[in-house]
Amino acid sequence: MFKRPAKGFCAPLLMLFAVTSVLPVAAAAGEANGGPAGKVNPFIGTGKGPGDSENLFPGAVVPFGMVQLSPDTEDKGLGYHYYQDSLKGFSMTHMSGVGCANEGEVSVTATTGAVVTDKAGLESPYSHDQESASPGYYQVRLKRWDVNAELTATERTGMLRFTFPAGKTANIVVPISHTLNNTSSAEIHMTGDREMEGYVENQVFCDAKGTYKVYFVIRFDHSFAESGTWNGTLKGGAASPNPEVKAVKQTNHEQWVGAYASWPSAAQAQTVTAQIGISYVDLEGARNNLKSEAEGKSFDQIHSSAVASWNKALSVIEATGGSETQQRVFYTGLYHSLLMPSILSDVDGRYIGFDDAIHNVKPGHELYGNFSGWDIYRDQMPLVAMIDPKRMEDMADSVALMYKQGGWIDRWPQINRYTNIMAGSPLTVIVSTAWLDGLHDFDMKTAWEGMYRDATEPAPAGKPYQGQIGIDWINKLHYAPNDKVEYGSVSQIQEDVIAYASLYRLGKALGKTAEAKTMYDRSLYYRNVFDPETRFFRPRNADGSWVPIFDPAEEWHGFIEGSGWHYQWFEPTDMAWVVKSMGQDLFNKRLTNFFDYEYPSWFGQYYNPYNETDLQAPFEFNFSGKPWETQRVVRRVLKENYPDTPDGIPGNDDCGAMSSWAVMSMMGFYSVDPTSLAYELTSPVFPKVVIHLNAPYKGRTFTIESSPDPEHLPYIQSVELNGKAHAKNWIRFQDMTDGGAIRFTLGAEPNKSWGAQPQDAPPSLSEEKP
């Protein structure tokens, strides 16, 4: 999901910036801890994109944590941008690399001297020379106040340690009206001389309807000497701090309210620590989360635990060899792949459902939310299924619970709200992938009911969910007509058929023969928008006529965030049919031209590395008899679009989608169609990678080995799988999860024989018999 670059964007200038940008030194604490966490640089992906900002946050978080405690350099928007030179404060929640203003609830900052309350007064310049970050830790000096701020986190709590200069009154300020989106209400009040509590109600992102609440409890490590609140307006200037009033509410969008606590100046520098627990359920949940995860623990203890959790999560994949830069890019990509979806259930198992009722998750499990469906079904969720299967089962069950409690399955749910963002039924693909991968510890009966309904019938009127766009027309015409479906008619059916194909395969596995046959037939509907004359997918009207003026390089005309050139490669479930219908020679000619750009940018007729629409395209030469071109193109994309700089993620990461592409590609494989269980091969960039497997998978490790200097040897000469010659240019998911080893022999020049025969290509839907 990506916002279109502004007109006049200069790609050559972007490339110059990408080469010359310099990252701050990673936090010494993170480096000293060793392990893969020491190889992660959270500043990668916080810089400039192609005419727009990249949106990753550098703050403190643990794998898939509810809390993402991070600095904000803007009042409304996406959080932190490396090129901005002042900080607004630190807030407890952030989504990772999405394309719309979001979250940023429970903001805290520090000042000295007299208490200030207005936005401009709370802001402080900062320098990258006095800033550092590593997994589970962030540090910066607030230059205006000469205060050093440090952040760390557990799954449901955050901790801030502020070191104030000698001789200055120390203040911690909580501008509770600050969020990164649109605060509709908020409340904060004192509960003694060491604690504050309240809630923030914020709007769902991307202008979707609905709000949600984040409850919080803030506890300081020692009693404050003075405290109070303020109650002002956004346009009315600074409001006077009032030590007599210990509670304040925001009831409209124009208010600017908050609270503060102060400590007298000291002869030596003094440190004040704030622990914050949050919950989406209620104050009791926030208080219990704080008690269970942080009470009695020091900042250093929590930081140490956060680093340990990251080392455990990242050590599932051991990549050895390669350059320091490659190691940093790889493990930072893996780090970004393990941030979302986020835990939403409290430590006691309670969570707020899509019916707004309080429920309890099964003991030993978690409830997850914030699924960037349109993006992550392509690679991030398959990666999580491979390396963290039990967590993946909980995520699949969370989708089933969404349907059970809310009535439908969304494309991009945020917290417990339907957003109806983007297209298709991506969560159907995610759940189907999990089951077909062999992960069965979730409620498939409920999930199947919800997925099948979404694939065959319109959502009920008057509900907060939308269902598949144009489903009535699809049921009637077997495609989405352009004169009836305004939002990307071609893309809509192309996305939908991926879900249909997933349900066909899932239905077969479940023994649902009739339903599987129905889904197989529907999965071929993409053919109804393929024009045999131009040999492009193109929009057509309800009367069957093709839209008369069609330029395949023109974006947004029947396509979502792309053009006909981008979407001619988007039939991942049935590439054999696309190659045959386009003609192998024309297919290869067009695909070669697609990657024949001088520099990466957002072009209408070339590969767009900044968005998800064509993540699979580099691997499609494996279907057309030229796998060596896949190997060449993948290496180019990795080199040009994943540098070790703030611009090191192409476009929005969209909750790990772009990062996961790099992680899998660097290991030497990617799945064009995850529910096919086929993983296309390319040349690894490391001499050795070991993937440690967990139950319920049969194997314990899967090892990937290649030649000693793979960086300068981009082409596969031969492959051995478990000691036997392997001519196919793909392997099965089960080949990996059963354990074993794959060995690549690489060379400087392409071997145009390996993997190039028709029988060497990955499977396609039309080759199956329903």
Side-chain angles (χ1 to χ4, degrees), residues 511-526:
K512 296 180 179 294
T513 306
E515 294 94 331
K517 177 62 167 62
T518 297
M519 287 297 107
Y520 181 87
D521 292 342
R522 293 177 75 91
S523 70
L524 304 182
Y525 286 178
Y526 70 89

Side-chain angles (χ1 to χ4, degrees), residues 305-318:
S305 294
V307 173
S309 69
W310 275 115
N311 273 326
K312 180 179 179 181
L314 298 169
S315 293
V316 172
I317 302 179
E318 290 184 77

Side-chain angles (χ1 to χ4, degrees), residues 702-750:
F702 183 70
T703 301
I704 303 161
E705 294 182 304
S706 69
S707 301
D709 186 23
E711 183 174 6
H712 300 100
L713 303 172
Y715 294 105
I716 297 173
Q717 306 300 300
S718 63
V719 173
E720 291 182 355
L721 180 62
N722 297 325
K724 296 180 180 180
H726 187 78
K728 297 183 185 298
N729 60 39
W730 61 281
I731 58 175
R732 301 174 306 150
F733 182 78
Q734 190 176 349
D735 290 330
M736 294 186 278
T737 57
D738 278 354
I742 189 169
R743 167 77 186 178
F744 294 83
T745 300
L746 304 181
E749 299 296 328

Side-chain angles (χ1 to χ4, degrees), residues 101-167:
N102 70 94
E103 304 202 353
E105 295 93 17
V106 194
S107 180
V108 179
T109 192
T111 68
T112 60
V115 174
V116 294
T117 64
D118 62 299
K119 284 188 176 183
L122 292 173
E123 189 172 339
S124 174
Y126 75 105
S127 168
H128 295 308
D129 294 334
Q130 296 178 305
E131 181 188 38
S132 59
S134 59
Y137 179 82
Y138 174 84
Q139 171 275 328
V140 69
R141 182 166 292 278
L142 303 176
K143 295 173 69 174
R144 182 173 186 176
W145 317 106
D146 193 26
V147 171
N148 189 57
E150 298 172 275
L151 319 179
T152 191
T154 68
E155 287 181 340
R156 300 169 180 85
T157 77
M159 185 178 287
L160 303 95
R161 181 165 67 186
F162 295 110
T163 302
F164 295 89

Side-chain angles (χ1 to χ4, degrees), residues 382-401:
L383 179 63
V384 172
M386 181 184 299
I387 65 176
D388 199 347
K390 286 299 181 184
R391 194 185 300 271
M392 186 68 212
E393 288 174 326
D394 280 358
M395 292 176 178
D397 206 44
S398 299
V399 175
L401 288 167

